[in-house]
Amino acid sequence: MKRVGVLGSGDVGQALAKGLKAHGYEVRIGSRSPAKLAGFAAETKIPSDTFAAVAAWGEALVLAVLGRAASQALTEAMPQNLAGKPILDTTNPISEEPPVDGVLRYFTGPNSSLMEDLQATFPQAHLVKAFNSAGSDLMVNPKFPGAKPTMFYCGNDAGAKKFAARVIEQFGWEGADMGSAVAARAIEPLAQLWCIPGFRENSWNHAFHLLRP
Ligand SMILES: NC(=O)c1ccc[n+]([C@@H]2O[C@H](COP(=O)([O-])OP(=O)(O)OC[C@H]3O[C@@H](n4cnc5c(N)ncnc54)[C@H](OP(=O)(O)O)[C@@H]3O)[C@@H](O)[C@H]2O)c1
C-alpha cells in the first residue's frame, strides 16, 4: 500500500496526510472543494482533488470528515472506489448539540457505532477505526516521556488491520487490536473521554496508555 488517499480537508486530514508523506507514502488529499487546499498543497506538495478522484487513486484511504457527514462523503467518493481498500476511519459520531459539562454528545447509542453503520452501508470497503481518540496535533510521532501512547483500533478485515497497525507503529504509537468492527462501540466513546480535560481545563495534550503486566 504505497498510495494513500486522505478524504478530509480539516485538521485531521491535513495532519495525517503530512505524516503519511513524511513516512514515505504517496499521498493525495480530498475535499468537496479541492481549491480550498491550494495553500496546503503548495506548502506540502500533497495534491488535492475531489473525494471521488482521491478515492479512485488511493490503494488505501483515510476517512477524516465530520462524523455526521461521513456516509455522505463516502457516497461522494463513490462506492466502487472504496472496494477492497483499507480505510482508516478517524471519525466520531458527534451530534450538533453542544457538550454537557465537557462531555460530547453522540448521535449513536451504547450498542451501536458510526463505523458499524458505515461498514454496513459500504460493505465493499474495509474500515478500520483508528486515530479517533487523540488530537490531530498528537497523531504523528507524539512525544510522551517513558512510554508510547496506545492507539486502539478495530475492524473486520485482517489485511486492512495489518495496514492500520503498520501506520500506527510508524506514527510512534503502540497499537492495540480490539477485534472486529463491533469494538467501535467502545473505541468511539474514547474520544468523549479524551475531550473532557480539553473542554473543562483547556488541556489537550494527553493520550491513553494501556498498561499490561
Ligand atoms: N480535530 C481533531 O483533533 C480530531 C481528533 C480525532 C478525531 N477527530 C474526528 O476526525 C474527523 C475529522 O475532524 P476534523 O477536525 O479534521 O474536521 P471536521 O471539521 O470534523 O471535518 C471536515 C471535513 O468534513 C467534510 N464535510 C463536512 N460536511 C460535509 C458534508 N455535508 N458532506 C461531505 N463532507 C463534509 C469537509 O469537507 P470539505 O473539505 O468539502 O469542507 C471536510 O473535509 C471528525 O469526525 C472528528 O470527530 C478529530
Side-chain angles (χ1 to χ4, degrees), residues 17-208:
K18 283 197 271 191
L20 287 160
K21 182 163 186 195
H23 284 87
Y25 295 91
E26 281 180 61
V27 185
R28 293 188 188 175
I29 186 166
S31 169
R32 290 168 299 174
S33 316
K36 79 185 198 188
L37 286 161
F40 176 81
E43 177 203 325
T44 60
K45 312 285 180 237
I46 295 171
S48 64
D49 212 326
T50 61
F51 288 142
V54 168
W57 172 85
E59 297 168 302
L61 304 174
V62 172
L63 180 63
V65 299
L66 192 69
R68 47 186 186 274
S71 187
Q72 178 62 31
L74 289 181
T75 300
E76 287 179 31
M78 307 195 22
Q80 65 268 31
N81 294 330
L82 314 176
K85 297 180 185 177
I87 304 182
L88 303 189
D89 171 20
T90 73
T91 63
N92 288 310
I94 299 169
S95 67
E96 275 179 285
E97 292 80 30
V100 181
D101 201 13
V103 183
L104 286 168
R105 286 197 249 202
Y106 275 13
F107 56 76
T108 47
N111 297 311
S112 67
S113 64
L114 175 56
M115 192 177 82
E116 285 173 279
D117 290 348
L118 295 174
Q119 188 61 81
T121 308
F122 303 95
Q124 62 283 72
H126 297 320
L127 287 148
V128 182
K129 192 96 228 167
F131 293 103
N132 71 301
S133 45
S136 57
D137 291 346
L138 296 168
M139 288 180 180
V140 184
N141 301 113
K143 297 279 173 279
F144 288 101
K148 287 183 185 179
T150 304
M151 180 63 67
F152 297 94
Y153 66 98
C154 69
N156 291 342
D157 184 80
K161 287 210 290 189
K162 208 169 159 189
F163 172 73
R166 171 105 180 105
V167 174
I168 287 166
E169 193 208 335
Q170 287 176 310
F171 284 10
W173 294 77
E174 177 189 83
D177 182 354
M178 294 289 113
S180 74
V182 177
R185 298 175 193 184
I187 297 176
E188 288 173 0
L190 289 179
Q192 289 175 300
L193 187 62
W194 187 86
C195 284
I196 291 173
F199 289 125
R200 288 173 59 89
E201 299 152 26
N202 198 27
S203 171
W204 301 96
N205 57 356
H206 47 276
F208 296 116

